[in-house]
Amino acid sequence: MTKLHIIPARAALGIGMTLFVQSAAAADAANGGRLAERWCAACHVVTTSQREAYSDAPPFEEIAKRPGFTESGITTFLLDPHGKMPNMDLSRTEAADIAAYISRQR
């Protein structure tokens, strides 16, 4: 009887870890950097070599260092249109890629 409980628990753990690794690996920070330069650099400092941006828009490095920052939170934020930001009509994958790129700015 013990074996029946151990095997499903191990299987569930393995499936959970696989899903976690797949979702973490799915975001492409390099693509996020390209998208950020296209969509975000007009207002935000998105690279260390960028010298100018809109003063009211925080640099990506600052966003990444904020308490409570998560890639999933930024992804959700980017998918929801906001008054000060243009509607970029990003796909979930593109938003996740940008979030992964921002995360790497810490």
Side-chain angles (χ1 to χ4, degrees):
M1 185 163 173
T2 303
K3 288 183 180 179
L4 292 176
H5 294 315
I6 292 172
I7 292 170
R10 286 184 182 167
L13 179 62
I15 291 170
M17 291 301 293
T18 300
L19 293 174
F20 175 76
V21 170
Q22 285 177 343
S23 65
D28 181 353
N31 185 52
R34 288 186 292 275
L35 291 167
E37 287 183 26
R38 175 180 174 196
W39 288 106
C40 311
C43 298
H44 296 270
V45 173
V46 301
T47 67
T48 56
S49 62
Q50 186 178 346
R51 300 290 178 231
E52 294 183 26
Y54 184 62
S55 64
D56 287 345
F60 277 13
E61 182 179 7
E62 179 185 313
I63 294 169
K65 291 179 180 179
R66 288 181 176 171
F69 170 86
T70 64
E71 286 184 32
S72 63
I74 292 296
T75 299
T76 300
F77 177 83
L78 291 171
L79 292 172
D80 186 27
H82 295 81
K84 291 185 175 184
M85 290 179 49
N87 183 1
M88 298 175 283
D89 198 28
L90 298 170
S91 69
R92 177 162 291 284
T93 299
E94 291 169 327
D97 290 351
I98 293 172
Y101 176 75
I102 292 171
S103 181
R104 305 309 185 274
Q105 303 306 305
R106 294 181 198 189

